Every structure is written in structure tokens, then in C-alpha cells.
Amino acid sequence: MGTRVVRVEDPRLLTTGGTYTDDLREPELTGAAYVTFVRSPYAHARITGVDVSAARGVPGVVEVLTGQDTDDLPAPADGNPTAEPMLAKDAVRYVGEPVALVVTDGRYQGEDAADLVTVEYEPLPPVVDLEDALRGETLLFPESGSNVLAAAQDEGAGDDAFAACEVVVEHTIVNQRVAPVPLETRAAAAAWAHDRLTVWVSTQNAHWARDAVAGGLGIDPSAVRVITPDVGGGFGAKIGADREGVAVAWAAKRTGRPVRWVETRSENLVGMTHGRGQRQTFKIGGTRDGRITAYRLDLVQDAGAYPRMATLLATLTKSMASGVYDIPHVEAYFQVAATNTTPVAAYRGAGRPEATAAIERAVDMFAAEIGMDPREVRRRNFIAPDKFPHTTPGGMEYDTGEYAAALDRVLAAAGYDELRAEQARRREAGDPVQLGIGLSAYVEITGGVPEIGETARLVVHDDGTVTVLTGSSPHGQGHATAWAMLVHDELGIPMDKITVRHGDTDAIPVGIGTFGSRSLQLGGTAVHQAALEVKERAKELAADELEADKADLEFDTADGLWRVRGTPDIGLDWGRLAQLAGSDGLAADVHFTSDKSTFPFGAHVAVVEVDAETGKVRLVRHVTVDDAGPVLNPVLAEGQRQGGIAQGAAQALLEEVLYDAQGNPVTSTLVDYPFITATELPSFELVDMATPTPLNPLGVKGIGEAGTIGATPAVQNAVVDAVSHLGVRHIDMPTTPERVWTAINEARTGQ
Amino acid sequence: MKVTITVNGEQIQDDVEDRTLLVHFLRDGANLTATNIGCDTTSCGACTVLLDGESVKSCTVLAAQADGAEVTTVEGLAGPDGELHPMQRAFQAEHGLQCGFCTPGMVMAAVSLLKENPHPTEQQVRVGLEGNLCRCTGYHNIVRAVLAAAAEEEGA
């Protein structure tokens, strides 16, 4: 625990490259045909006809399948008017929705053939804007009677709390839609043989992907084996299997031929789920001396065209609305609205970044209104350390937290007072390049449904090597290294003798996967406990073999030997113990569950330079405390934080998915979508802090999403702070030069 | 059409469609799958390889254009005895990769960068890698890895 260990995964990834789904050269995929999807060019339309004859005539075309061919699939559950089809049959609801697929011998033939599938559409009015969705003049699902898919509505119960406030600030802000963009797009391959499907899919959860395929095709889950090869990033957007993945499996079953699919980036930017997408109205009230007494968040969550995870996102934002603050009166409401856009689902943080962004903007606007340093307002309102475990008005039970300490530590590292002095100097001098200092303090919920836990099986082999089978599912996090460290810590077996396997539903019958920053606290704990169980069993075996009492046995993790106390010359190693275990094997199976979530927290300071003449923003420093409890491997934990910070900063500064009024995506290539690059970021300054949780034996919380959650509001607050002396109170994200310039001009001209 | 391309020192001949991209020649023809495809607009750099010593995005080069040329991919970077190239070593030591998908292209771009500028500043590294996207690392450790490799090569 706590040792810096470089990754065991890396030599392979750096020399031959990983084996991602499109790299598979498995014998079962020999001669695999290629799947190419035909996608809707309309945001909203009725399908009036499909003609596949021209496509069928193209050389190399194996099969063309449309929504009309899906009669072998189970019908959607009764009475579900918003069910999402595998291939659109009657209507399309977003640009990029899969309508048909072609199966071809060659990779390039697929696009030729897909171009020749003629789909006749009768365009319908598109619902693009959230206001249009709420007005409900056009419905995506007429049978449901509304575009609001779920809601928790304001009934005005909290009005008195605001009436009693000396100061109330109310504002509507946008937490814009962004694209996850893992560098590996979605991909799948499938083979049907002996009445069984094998599906390789780029996913964060092999078992959920298996269930999605089995459910979608109406076959028993035992007839599906899902294998997760290397996965080139997920960020929440590769949870389970999307409709395309299911369709690829279906194509293999229908054609009897192995097939493979990898989407292009242009498909990915319209076909993979997007993240965020909330319009938030907050109302914050309190006293002139900085005490916040009431907070209301009312949000509209853009679900996109089908209800995937949007309600979960809105629920998480609602639950975490009050963040790190001890506010007597808190209320939060949401409406989840369907629009003719790509469906919205999890993206690194999934609902918590949105909650944090809202309250951290609200606190800054409250501070500006009463003329107090945002540092001071935060300090006056943190939940005090002696109040933990702390149940919030939103019903969350925070396990442990040291919010003021985290802020103080990050401010000291950043040199807050010096930064303020430099800011004052530039303002005084009328420097065209102004300095902005942005703070954020956050708490988030991690564990991703901890009640369903995670599995581990640990097997010690006769040669002293170990195999760990984990239900968790790495896609860059470094599980192979981390899990080997956990085993090594307990069993003293060298890391190079420990093999970690994941992502094969035949080899690992039960598993949940990786999302919600759950891996170490659940999957890691399962590995840790499996090691302890194996150790206990080994002790029994060693006692028998050495004819000693268990109490007289000693285990030395340095050499991995069991000895009787006082007889250093005779030791049993792990291989010998595995042999002694005989047919039972020396192994342990653990399914670790927890009935409570963990709540990592932290504080970020962003420093930006804003050219007040052009509106151009440059992030010059980013300093963070991200406290997720004790750290197993600082190399990995820091990597998670750094990547998260970049994604969070990207949302504040640059990235946004945009549609035109007709629902056409205008950011559907990486030329148009401003994915953040190395030139737009500084090196990050990470400050350590570790407050353990009592909820698992390792004391750990999740670190995967922390950086993103803290970074976005810190950067956005910094941009506003840089020009606050000009009268600017808020700038929506992304804080592009145009937005910043406009905000400055409007403040100057008093608009 | 027939093309002959020397990939990592080995001459490979293949009969390809005229429109075959170099990256597909490498992946499907030469069966060297380390070079990845991350976009379709020459934006992400995952497919970066060296073409006659210059870094190129192999999704924007036709196999036909590389006929007769020499290509180096990340598979060709380590020494004959498997010893890692200093850039590969630095990427591991500095944790410059997570999911690994951008890595082969990133490493090749970094090798090319140091060839052109053996002693870059941090900002020069960032500018030099602007055409290579990474979603996992925030570039922090990639930049450190390139600077470390530069320092090591200087010391060697």
C-alpha cells in the first residue's frame, strides 16, 4: 500500500500494442465479414420505405438487414412507448440512429454498400432545444403524451426559507453537452457456432454486455460468452453494450458467419452517448456575513432521443446538490426531457460534476454579491469534520470528510494570497492580460451500486504462480498492476508471478465491471479478502504439514515462506502449499459487497490568464487536493487525477457538442469537436491528502472521477474571476473567446 | 495494385485496392496492429508512423504513396534483443499511458519530435504533440516522459 510501482501492463502496450477489438486475429474470427451501419440523416422522421436491392447487388455483400428483419427479436416490454429499437423501423429520432446494417466481405465494401441502401423518410419537426421539448408541441413518443421522461417537481415548499434570507442570488446556467471520445471508438466482433455466441466487445462490463446481447436477441445468457479484449478508454460511455453491439451479435447469428465492426470517429461522435447536458437554475440565499441558509437547484436534463441513463444522471445531481456545504434548507428538482439528439448517458462523473458545477458557481455568485472572498464563504459553510458521518438534506450519508483542511491545503500549495496580490497588480495596471483564480470544493459519491459489489477468485498454482480472476474491468486504470500489488502485499508472491484475468464471462461467471469509481474499493477489496482467505487456508495446510499448531506458524511476506517459529531452516513455499491442497486447490472466491457508498472529496485551484481584449483564456496552473482515502499505488492514482483534470478543464474551456436548429450535429468530426490538446493544458500540481473510509478494509474511496468533478468549476470560476472586476458575474461553458469577449462587452456597456 | 513497402526492416509486398490507406496496409496487410485508428479526419494521431524517417499520420497516406518507402511502427522501435527504446522506457517509467490506444502513435510522434529537436522545452513538447490526442493522461505524464527521454538521450 502506497508504493510507487510502474505498470506491468506497459511493456506489451508499448511494443506490440494492445489487442483491441479490431486487432483480434482469433481463429474463430477467421474470414470474418465486416458490419457497416446505415444511419439516419434526419433528426426526426418517419420511415416510409427501405430498398436494399441496390446494396444487395454490390460485389462482396453478404447480407443487408433492416428494422423490417427484426421479427426474430423479442418485442419491447409491454406498455413501454419509449423503447429503443436495435434498428429503427418506423421512425428515427436522432441523426446517426442505426436504421440498417450491411455485412460485406471487405472492409471498404461496407461503406459502398451502405450508401446504396435507400431509406425513404418523411421528415417530422425536430425537437432540439430543451424549451421545445418541454413545450411538447412535437412529441418524440406520442403514445407517452409528453417529452418529459421523468421528473421530481418543485411544489414551492421552500419559499419561506428564501424569504428569510438577507441576500438571494438566482441564475440559470448551462452544463453543456460534451462527447466522451475514448480514443478507441466502439467496436465488436461476434461468432455464432454450436448454438452459442461469442462476442468480443469494447466494454467496461463484460457481464452487462452479455446480458444486453442475450436480452436483445432473446436467448439465454448462458448461450452468450462475452470477451473483453483491451479497451481503449470508456469514460462511462462503454457501460454494457449499445444497440450496435447487440446488432453485431445478431448479424453473426443471422448470417452464420463471424463478423466484426469498428465505428469511424464520425459515427462515434453521433452514435456513442454524450454526457452532461443540463440546464440548471439555482437560487442561493443567506446572510450578508457569508452564511448560506438556503439552496435550490432546478434542472432540466437533456436525455437525447431515448431514455438510457439520463434519469440516473439527474437523480445523482439532485442527491448531491448541496455538495460540501452545511446548508439548513436544500431542495432540488429535475425534469428529464427527450430531444431529437444523440442519447445522453454517463460521462466521467455522471451527475456529480453537474451538481458540483452548479453549487460552486452559486457559491461564487453569492460571494460576489456580498463582496466576500470566495475562500471565506466556503470556509464559513463547510460541513464541519465533527459532523461525520453526515446525512445531507438530500439523503446522502457522507462517510468521512475534511473539507476545510482540503481547501486550506490546496490554497497554501497554490499560494493563494500571492495570486490575489498579482491579480490586484494587473488590475491596477490595466494589464490587457488579466489573472483569474478559481476555487472549487467538492464531494462526490463513488462505488457505483456498491450493493452489487464485485468478485474476485484467487488461485495459487503448484508452481507458486497465482491467477487472479476479477469481475472488475480495466480500460486504462491499471488493474493488473494494482491487483498484483494487493496479492503481493499479503502473500509475498512476486508481482511477475501473478496474472490478472478479466472480461471473460465463461472464465468469470459473475462480475460487475468498472464505472462510478468502484474498482479498488469493491474489486480491490475482493482481491484483498481473497488473499486473506487463501492465507488462512495456507496456514492450516502448513500446520498439518509441519505438524505444528497454527498459532506457532509464522509467514514472512519478504520470502513468501511459512515456518514454525524458532525453526528458520524449514519453510514451505506457495507452490508446495498448493500441492498440499490437492484436488481442492488453494483458492478463494470472494464477492465483496457494501451497503453504503463512499464520498471522496477535495478542492481545486485553477489559475487562468484572460486576454480582456480578445477574450482568449489560457489555463496556466491547476492545483488540486483529491482525497479518496489511502492510495494503493500513487502512480495510478495520480494518473487518474491528471486525466480527470484535463477532461474537466476541457469542458470548462473548449468542448461542446452542438446541433443546428434542424438537429443536425455540427461537431461530428474531430476537426469540429474541440478535443483538448497538450498545448491547451499546463502540467498539474497535485497535493496529497488521505482520509480513510471505515466502509472497506482498505479504507479506500474511488479516485477515477475526482479530477473531472473538481476541475470544471474551478476553471470556470477562474475565468469569471479574471473579469469580475469589469462587472462580469457569469460566463457559460465552454468559456470560448467569443463568450468571454461578449461577457466583458456586455458588462462594460451595462447590458 | 502491387505495392512493396519495407516495414520495420522487412519488405512486404501486397496486392491492394488503389484506395487502401497505409494504416490498413499495416494492420490488415502486414498484420501489425499496434498502429491504431482513432479518427477519420487526420486529427488524433493514433496512426502516426515514420515514413522514410518522417512522422506521418498513416490514415492520410495511401499505401500506394508509400510504395518503395520505409515505414517504422512502434513494433519496430525496440532493439533486436527486445530492449526497449528510450522513449518506450520513459513512457513506462513516467506512466505516460493508460488505456494504451493513443500510445503507439504518441510514441512515434515523440520519437520524431526529439529527432527534430533533441532538447525541447516543456512548451515545445506540448506544441510538438498537438496533433496527437490522448483522453486518459491529460498529457501530463506524456510530456514528462518525452522530457525524460530527451534527458536520457543527452546523458547517453
Side-chain angles (χ1 to χ4, degrees):
Chain A
M1 207 73 191
T3 316
R4 297 190 76 89
V5 178
V6 299
R7 296 202 314 176
V8 301
E9 291 90 336
D10 293 353
R12 183 175 62 85
L13 295 171
L14 282 162
T15 53
T16 57
T19 305
Y20 305 95
T21 299
D22 199 46
D23 300 340
L24 292 167
R25 299 294 184 265
E26 318 303 278
E28 300 96 311
L29 291 173
T30 305
Y34 294 84
V35 171
T36 305
F37 286 94
V38 178
R39 294 176 182 276
S40 170
Y42 287 97
H44 198 191
R46 252 188 290 277
I47 297 175
T48 55
V50 184
D51 182 356
V52 302
S53 53
R56 282 190 187 281
V58 174
V61 170
V62 177
E63 180 61 288
V64 183
L65 296 168
T66 75
Q68 307 301 320
D69 300 310
T70 54
D71 293 342
D72 60 329
L73 302 180
D78 286 347
N80 179 6
T82 63
E84 185 168 1
M86 189 177 73
L87 294 174
K89 194 172 177 181
D90 307 313
V92 289
R93 297 187 176 85
Y94 65 96
V95 172
E97 178 159 11
V99 175
L101 65 83
V102 298
V103 183
T104 55
D105 287 326
R107 203 185 275 277
Y108 290 177
Q109 291 164 340
E111 297 206 19
D112 297 343
D115 276 349
L116 295 174
V117 174
T118 308
V119 183
E120 284 170 37
Y121 297 97
E122 180 190 322
L124 295 167
V127 179
V128 184
D129 192 73
L130 286 174
E131 273 316 310
D132 292 342
L134 296 179
R135 247 194 321 276
E137 282 165 14
T138 301
L139 297 179
L140 270 76
F141 305 97
E143 282 174 48
S144 68
S146 169
N147 287 323
V148 177
L149 301 169
Q153 292 271 33
D154 183 1
E155 284 153 13
D159 293 348
D160 291 350
F162 288 98
C165 293
E166 291 172 12
V167 184
V168 174
V169 179
E170 193 168 4
H171 207 77
T172 297
I173 66 174
V174 175
N175 200 288
Q176 83 274 23
R177 179 189 282 249
V178 291
V181 206
L183 259 285
E184 183 204 22
T185 58
R186 293 177 301 166
W192 172 259
H194 314 296
D195 291 334
R196 204 153 184 260
L197 262 175
T198 303
V199 184
W200 296 260
V201 57
S202 182
T203 177
Q204 300 174 214
N205 338 56
H207 301 82
W208 287 7
R210 176 195 60 192
D211 295 347
V213 168
L217 270 53
I219 58 179
D220 196 87
S222 65
V224 181
R225 176 188 188 186
V226 166
I227 298 172
T228 312
D230 285 320
V231 172
F235 310 110
K238 286 184 183 169
I239 292 176
D242 287 348
R243 54 201 278 187
E244 286 92 339
V246 177
V248 167
W250 177 65
K253 185 166 176 277
R254 283 286 292 244
T255 60
R257 179 152 168 199
V259 295
R260 53 169 79 237
W261 165 69
V262 59
E263 66 183 350
T264 65
R265 179 60 65 189
S266 303
E267 281 184 286
N268 173 264
L269 282 164
V270 297
M272 174 179 258
T273 51
H274 295 152
R276 312 286 187 259
Q278 289 185 1
R279 192 190 63 195
Q280 307 171 321
T281 300
F282 61 70
K283 191 169 180 180
I284 186 167
T287 63
R288 291 233 161 248
D289 64 357
R291 182 78 182 100
I292 301 166
T293 55
Y295 179 67
R296 173 190 293 166
L297 178 63
D298 195 353
L299 67 93
V300 184
Q301 170 74 55
D302 187 348
Y306 292 95
R308 291 205 191 169
M309 286 173 67
T311 302
L312 174 67
L313 303 183
T315 305
L316 278 167
T317 305
K318 176 183 189 304
S319 303
M320 295 303 294
S322 58
V324 289
Y325 304 108
D326 196 352
I327 304 173
H329 179 84
V330 178
E331 21 176 335
Y333 310 101
F334 63 75
Q335 296 179 84
V336 178
T339 59
N340 289 118
T341 59
T342 295
V344 171
Y347 173 52
R348 204 166 192 167
R352 295 100 81 199
E354 296 88 324
T356 307
I359 194 153
E360 289 304 287
R361 273 285 53 235
V363 168
D364 261 28
M365 289 184 78
F366 179 79
E369 186 65 25
I370 61 172
M372 188 178 282
D373 189 316
R375 162 178 66 179
E376 197 52 38
V377 175
R378 284 180 173 80
R379 279 179 176 163
R380 289 185 189 191
N381 291 282
F382 282 137
I383 300 163
D386 60 6
K387 287 200 170 179
F388 289 84
H390 176 81
T391 303
T392 69
M396 297 288 100
E397 190 183 328
Y398 292 175
D399 49 355
T400 52
E402 291 278 355
Y403 304 149
L407 182 67
D408 286 348
R409 207 177 274 209
V410 78
L411 289 173
Y416 186 68
D417 293 330
E418 293 80 0
L419 287 168
R420 285 285 175 215
E422 168 65 12
Q423 180 182 54
R425 193 195 62 73
R426 290 198 198 186
R427 285 181 178 181
E428 185 80 12
D431 195 322
V433 180
Q434 290 292 317
L435 199 70
I437 305 139
L439 312 186
S440 79
Y442 71 90
V443 57
E444 57 141 338
I445 178 170
T446 67
V449 207
E451 298 84 356
I452 56 177
E454 193 53 275
T455 64
R457 175 171 169 76
L458 195 160
V459 185
V460 183
H461 304 289
D462 289 358
D463 60 358
T465 62
V466 167
T467 302
V468 178
L469 297 137
T470 177
S472 193
S473 197
H475 35 286
Q477 295 87 348
H479 288 39
T481 303
W483 284 195
M485 287 175 72
L486 289 167
V487 174
H488 171 77
D489 277 356
E490 287 305 324
L491 305 188
I493 295 170
M495 302 250 308
D496 60 6
K497 292 193 170 181
I498 302 166
T499 303
V500 177
R501 288 187 62 193
H502 78 276
D504 180 339
T505 58
D506 274 8
I508 302 161
V510 180
I512 307 300
T514 291
F515 58 94
S517 302
R518 71 200 310 277
S519 291
L520 181 58
Q521 57 186 311
L522 299 170
T525 297
V527 171
H528 171 74
Q529 290 194 336
L532 292 180
E533 283 186 23
V534 159
K535 207 169 168 180
E536 193 52 38
R537 174 79 185 114
K539 188 186 251 186
E540 290 166 10
L541 293 164
D544 281 351
E545 178 70 6
L546 298 171
E547 297 178 348
D549 194 278
K550 278 206 296 184
D552 294 331
L553 285 180
E554 285 180 331
F555 175 66
D556 186 352
T557 47
D559 61 11
L561 292 178
W562 291 84
R563 296 184 178 84
V564 180
R565 194 169 289 116
T567 57
D569 297 342
I570 305 167
L572 293 180
D573 64 18
W574 283 105
R576 179 70 190 129
L577 287 164
Q579 292 160 21
L580 290 169
S583 59
D584 295 347
L586 183 50
D589 278 287
V590 173
H591 189 159
F592 177 76
T593 61
S594 172
D595 57 358
K596 286 179 179 171
S597 300
T598 58
F599 292 84
F601 61 92
H604 287 208
V605 176
V607 183
V608 300
E609 286 184 340
V610 175
D611 187 325
E613 289 170 0
T614 64
K616 173 87 176 156
V617 177
R618 194 165 73 88
L619 179 60
V620 292
R621 287 180 66 196
H622 199 92
V623 194
T624 84
V625 165
D626 301 293
D627 185 337
V631 172
L632 172 65
N633 183 350
V635 170
L636 302 180
E638 289 164 12
Q640 288 297 309
R641 291 168 68 185
Q642 290 153 355
I645 293 166
Q647 279 174 296
Q651 186 182 6
L653 294 171
L654 295 167
E655 297 187 15
E656 181 171 29
V657 170
L658 290 167
Y659 290 88
D660 71 12
Q662 294 306 306
N664 296 304
V666 296
T667 47
S668 62
T669 73
L670 281 182
V671 170
D672 303 302
Y673 187 80
F675 188 113
I676 200 158
T677 71
T679 57
E680 288 140 342
L681 291 165
S683 285
F684 309 124
E685 301 164 53
L686 306 186
V687 182
D688 293 336
M689 184 161 154
T691 307
T693 178
L695 296 176
N696 62 66
L698 299 172
V700 297
K701 307 179 185 182
I703 193 67
E705 295 154 294
T708 309
I709 293 165
T712 304
V715 174
Q716 187 184 17
N717 283 345
V719 175
V720 177
D721 181 67
V723 292
S724 63
H725 63 298
L726 304 173
V728 175
R729 286 289 169 271
H730 177 77
I731 303 169
D732 265 330
M733 301 186 292
T735 52
T736 56
E738 185 189 354
R739 282 223 174 97
V740 175
W741 185 86
T742 303
I744 294 169
N745 263 13
E746 285 178 357
R748 277 185 174 144
T749 56
Q751 281 174 13
Chain B
M1 65 177 296
K2 272 203 167 53
V3 292
T4 306
I5 303 174
T6 304
V7 185
N8 302 330
E10 191 184 335
Q11 215 178 64
I12 294 172
Q13 205 171 54
D14 200 5
D15 200 358
V16 300
E17 271 187 79
D18 294 357
R19 59 180 171 175
T20 302
L21 300 173
L22 176 58
V23 69
H24 282 135
F25 174 89
L26 294 170
R27 292 177 53 82
D28 299 336
N31 207 26
L32 293 168
T33 56
T35 305
N36 289 319
I37 302 168
C39 73
D40 41 17
T41 48
T42 325
S43 308
C44 81
C47 64
T48 305
V49 299
L50 303 185
L51 178 65
D52 287 335
E54 299 275 329
S55 73
V56 297
K57 292 181 176 177
S58 60
C59 73
T60 318
V61 177
L62 294 168
Q65 291 173 288
D67 188 24
E70 287 194 19
V71 170
T72 309
T73 71
V74 82
E75 287 106 328
L77 216 50
D81 50 357
E83 193 197 351
L84 295 184
H85 183 279
M87 191 61 74
Q88 292 169 314
R89 264 204 311 277
F91 265 68
Q92 181 180 25
E94 301 296 334
H95 190 33
L97 65 155
Q98 291 184 28
C99 82
F101 197 83
C102 76
T103 308
M106 192 68 81
V107 167
M108 298 315 288
V111 166
S112 172
L113 190 161
L114 288 196
K115 211 169 128 194
E116 286 170 26
N117 178 3
H119 311 293
T121 62
E122 175 182 339
Q123 194 52 30
Q124 287 169 334
V125 172
R126 288 183 179 276
V127 171
L129 296 179
E130 190 179 16
N132 289 72
L133 303 180
C134 170
R135 201 53 147 177
C136 297
T137 65
Y139 307 102
H140 180 104
N141 285 340
I142 291 174
V143 173
R144 281 165 38 125
V146 178
L147 292 172
E152 188 189 326
E153 287 188 1
E154 188 175 12

PDB file of all heavy atoms in Angstrom, chain B residues 94-110:
ATOM      1  N   GLU B  94       7.351   6.944 -16.567  1.00  0.00           N
ATOM      2  CA  GLU B  94       6.606   8.157 -16.187  1.00  0.00           C
ATOM      3  C   GLU B  94       5.096   7.954 -16.243  1.00  0.00           C
ATOM      4  O   GLU B  94       4.347   8.911 -16.095  1.00  0.00           O
ATOM      5  CB  GLU B  94       7.003   9.316 -17.116  1.00  0.00           C
ATOM      6  CG  GLU B  94       8.483   9.667 -17.103  1.00  0.00           C
ATOM      7  CD  GLU B  94       8.955  10.174 -15.746  1.00  0.00           C
ATOM      8  OE1 GLU B  94       8.120  10.707 -14.992  1.00  0.00           O
ATOM      9  OE2 GLU B  94      10.147  10.001 -15.432  1.00  0.00           O
ATOM     10  N   HIS B  95       4.649   6.741 -16.485  1.00  0.00           N
ATOM     11  CA  HIS B  95       3.208   6.436 -16.587  1.00  0.00           C
ATOM     12  C   HIS B  95       2.559   7.319 -17.663  1.00  0.00           C
ATOM     13  O   HIS B  95       1.521   7.940 -17.448  1.00  0.00           O
ATOM     14  CB  HIS B  95       2.515   6.643 -15.228  1.00  0.00           C
ATOM     15  CG  HIS B  95       1.103   6.127 -15.172  1.00  0.00           C
ATOM     16  ND1 HIS B  95       0.679   5.028 -15.871  1.00  0.00           N
ATOM     17  CD2 HIS B  95       0.020   6.569 -14.485  1.00  0.00           C
ATOM     18  CE1 HIS B  95      -0.611   4.825 -15.624  1.00  0.00           C
ATOM     19  NE2 HIS B  95      -1.039   5.735 -14.789  1.00  0.00           N
ATOM     20  N   GLY B  96       3.204   7.317 -18.829  1.00  0.00           N
ATOM     21  CA  GLY B  96       2.719   8.139 -19.929  1.00  0.00           C
ATOM     22  C   GLY B  96       1.632   7.483 -20.761  1.00  0.00           C
ATOM     23  O   GLY B  96       1.329   7.949 -21.855  1.00  0.00           O
ATOM     24  N   LEU B  97       1.082   6.387 -20.259  1.00  0.00           N
ATOM     25  CA  LEU B  97      -0.005   5.728 -20.991  1.00  0.00           C
ATOM     26  C   LEU B  97      -0.961   5.105 -19.989  1.00  0.00           C
ATOM     27  O   LEU B  97      -0.561   4.703 -18.901  1.00  0.00           O
ATOM     28  CB  LEU B  97       0.536   4.641 -21.930  1.00  0.00           C
ATOM     29  CG  LEU B  97       1.220   3.426 -21.307  1.00  0.00           C
ATOM     30  CD1 LEU B  97       1.135   2.236 -22.243  1.00  0.00           C
ATOM     31  CD2 LEU B  97       2.684   3.730 -20.987  1.00  0.00           C
ATOM     32  N   GLN B  98      -2.216   5.072 -20.365  1.00  0.00           N
ATOM     33  CA  GLN B  98      -3.198   4.380 -19.542  1.00  0.00           C
ATOM     34  C   GLN B  98      -3.887   3.299 -20.389  1.00  0.00           C
ATOM     35  O   GLN B  98      -3.510   2.150 -20.340  1.00  0.00           O
ATOM     36  CB  GLN B  98      -4.173   5.371 -18.916  1.00  0.00           C
ATOM     37  CG  GLN B  98      -3.460   6.238 -17.839  1.00  0.00           C
ATOM     38  CD  GLN B  98      -4.372   7.187 -17.105  1.00  0.00           C
ATOM     39  OE1 GLN B  98      -5.553   6.961 -16.949  1.00  0.00           O
ATOM     40  NE2 GLN B  98      -3.815   8.294 -16.627  1.00  0.00           N
ATOM     41  N   CYS B  99      -4.867   3.695 -21.203  1.00  0.00           N
ATOM     42  CA  CYS B  99      -5.537   2.650 -21.999  1.00  0.00           C
ATOM     43  C   CYS B  99      -4.639   2.138 -23.110  1.00  0.00           C
ATOM     44  O   CYS B  99      -4.840   1.048 -23.620  1.00  0.00           O
ATOM     45  CB  CYS B  99      -6.870   3.143 -22.555  1.00  0.00           C
ATOM     46  SG  CYS B  99      -6.764   4.133 -24.060  1.00  0.00           S
ATOM     47  N   GLY B 100      -3.664   2.935 -23.515  1.00  0.00           N
ATOM     48  CA  GLY B 100      -2.671   2.466 -24.479  1.00  0.00           C
ATOM     49  C   GLY B 100      -3.038   2.661 -25.938  1.00  0.00           C
ATOM     50  O   GLY B 100      -2.247   2.348 -26.820  1.00  0.00           O
ATOM     51  N   PHE B 101      -4.227   3.176 -26.207  1.00  0.00           N
ATOM     52  CA  PHE B 101      -4.680   3.227 -27.596  1.00  0.00           C
ATOM     53  C   PHE B 101      -3.964   4.301 -28.404  1.00  0.00           C
ATOM     54  O   PHE B 101      -3.599   4.089 -29.555  1.00  0.00           O
ATOM     55  CB  PHE B 101      -6.196   3.446 -27.647  1.00  0.00           C
ATOM     56  CG  PHE B 101      -6.803   3.116 -28.977  1.00  0.00           C
ATOM     57  CD1 PHE B 101      -7.131   1.812 -29.302  1.00  0.00           C
ATOM     58  CD2 PHE B 101      -7.034   4.108 -29.922  1.00  0.00           C
ATOM     59  CE1 PHE B 101      -7.684   1.495 -30.534  1.00  0.00           C
ATOM     60  CE2 PHE B 101      -7.585   3.800 -31.157  1.00  0.00           C
ATOM     61  CZ  PHE B 101      -7.913   2.494 -31.465  1.00  0.00           C
ATOM     62  N   CYS B 102      -3.747   5.470 -27.784  1.00  0.00           N
ATOM     63  CA  CYS B 102      -3.043   6.547 -28.498  1.00  0.00           C
ATOM     64  C   CYS B 102      -1.542   6.317 -28.497  1.00  0.00           C
ATOM     65  O   CYS B 102      -0.800   7.004 -29.190  1.00  0.00           O
ATOM     66  CB  CYS B 102      -3.348   7.908 -27.863  1.00  0.00           C
ATOM     67  SG  CYS B 102      -2.469   8.205 -26.294  1.00  0.00           S
ATOM     68  N   THR B 103      -1.104   5.360 -27.652  1.00  0.00           N
ATOM     69  CA  THR B 103       0.314   5.244 -27.305  1.00  0.00           C
ATOM     70  C   THR B 103       1.241   4.968 -28.488  1.00  0.00           C
ATOM     71  O   THR B 103       2.266   5.661 -28.627  1.00  0.00           O
ATOM     72  CB  THR B 103       0.483   4.172 -26.207  1.00  0.00           C
ATOM     73  OG1 THR B 103      -0.414   4.490 -25.135  1.00  0.00           O
ATOM     74  CG2 THR B 103       1.905   4.125 -25.695  1.00  0.00           C
ATOM     75  N   PRO B 104       0.951   3.980 -29.329  1.00  0.00           N
ATOM     76  CA  PRO B 104       1.897   3.740 -30.439  1.00  0.00           C
ATOM     77  C   PRO B 104       2.128   4.992 -31.297  1.00  0.00           C
ATOM     78  O   PRO B 104       3.273   5.324 -31.633  1.00  0.00           O
ATOM     79  CB  PRO B 104       1.224   2.613 -31.233  1.00  0.00           C
ATOM     80  CG  PRO B 104       0.425   1.875 -30.194  1.00  0.00           C
ATOM     81  CD  PRO B 104      -0.113   2.966 -29.298  1.00  0.00           C
ATOM     82  N   GLY B 105       1.040   5.697 -31.609  1.00  0.00           N
ATOM     83  CA  GLY B 105       1.176   6.925 -32.392  1.00  0.00           C
ATOM     84  C   GLY B 105       1.872   8.019 -31.605  1.00  0.00           C
ATOM     85  O   GLY B 105       2.694   8.770 -32.144  1.00  0.00           O
ATOM     86  N   MET B 106       1.545   8.097 -30.327  1.00  0.00           N
ATOM     87  CA  MET B 106       2.143   9.127 -29.480  1.00  0.00           C
ATOM     88  C   MET B 106       3.654   8.913 -29.361  1.00  0.00           C
ATOM     89  O   MET B 106       4.448   9.862 -29.444  1.00  0.00           O
ATOM     90  CB  MET B 106       1.477   9.077 -28.097  1.00  0.00           C
ATOM     91  CG  MET B 106       1.761  10.245 -27.201  1.00  0.00           C
ATOM     92  SD  MET B 106       1.025  11.802 -27.759  1.00  0.00           S
ATOM     93  CE  MET B 106      -0.675  11.655 -27.193  1.00  0.00           C
ATOM     94  N   VAL B 107       4.040   7.655 -29.162  1.00  0.00           N
ATOM     95  CA  VAL B 107       5.468   7.339 -29.024  1.00  0.00           C
ATOM     96  C   VAL B 107       6.200   7.663 -30.325  1.00  0.00           C
ATOM     97  O   VAL B 107       7.284   8.265 -30.308  1.00  0.00           O
ATOM     98  CB  VAL B 107       5.657   5.852 -28.627  1.00  0.00           C
ATOM     99  CG1 VAL B 107       7.109   5.419 -28.784  1.00  0.00           C
ATOM    100  CG2 VAL B 107       5.183   5.621 -27.194  1.00  0.00           C
ATOM    101  N   MET B 108       5.611   7.319 -31.452  1.00  0.00           N
ATOM    102  CA  MET B 108       6.274   7.605 -32.726  1.00  0.00           C
ATOM    103  C   MET B 108       6.382   9.113 -32.970  1.00  0.00           C
ATOM    104  O   MET B 108       7.405   9.603 -33.457  1.00  0.00           O
ATOM    105  CB  MET B 108       5.544   6.925 -33.893  1.00  0.00           C
ATOM    106  CG  MET B 108       5.502   5.399 -33.821  1.00  0.00           C
ATOM    107  SD  MET B 108       7.058   4.604 -33.388  1.00  0.00           S
ATOM    108  CE  MET B 108       7.998   4.856 -34.887  1.00  0.00           C
ATOM    109  N   ALA B 109       5.332   9.838 -32.611  1.00  0.00           N
ATOM    110  CA  ALA B 109       5.386  11.301 -32.747  1.00  0.00           C
ATOM    111  C   ALA B 109       6.465  11.877 -31.840  1.00  0.00           C
ATOM    112  O   ALA B 109       7.190  12.814 -32.213  1.00  0.00           O
ATOM    113  CB  ALA B 109       4.019  11.906 -32.412  1.00  0.00           C
ATOM    114  N   ALA B 110       6.584  11.294 -30.647  1.00  0.00           N
ATOM    115  CA  ALA B 110       7.582  11.793 -29.693  1.00  0.00           C
ATOM    116  C   ALA B 110       8.994  11.492 -30.177  1.00  0.00           C
ATOM    117  O   ALA B 110       9.903  12.320 -30.039  1.00  0.00           O
ATOM    118  CB  ALA B 110       7.340  11.165 -28.322  1.00  0.00           C
TER     119      ALA B 110
END
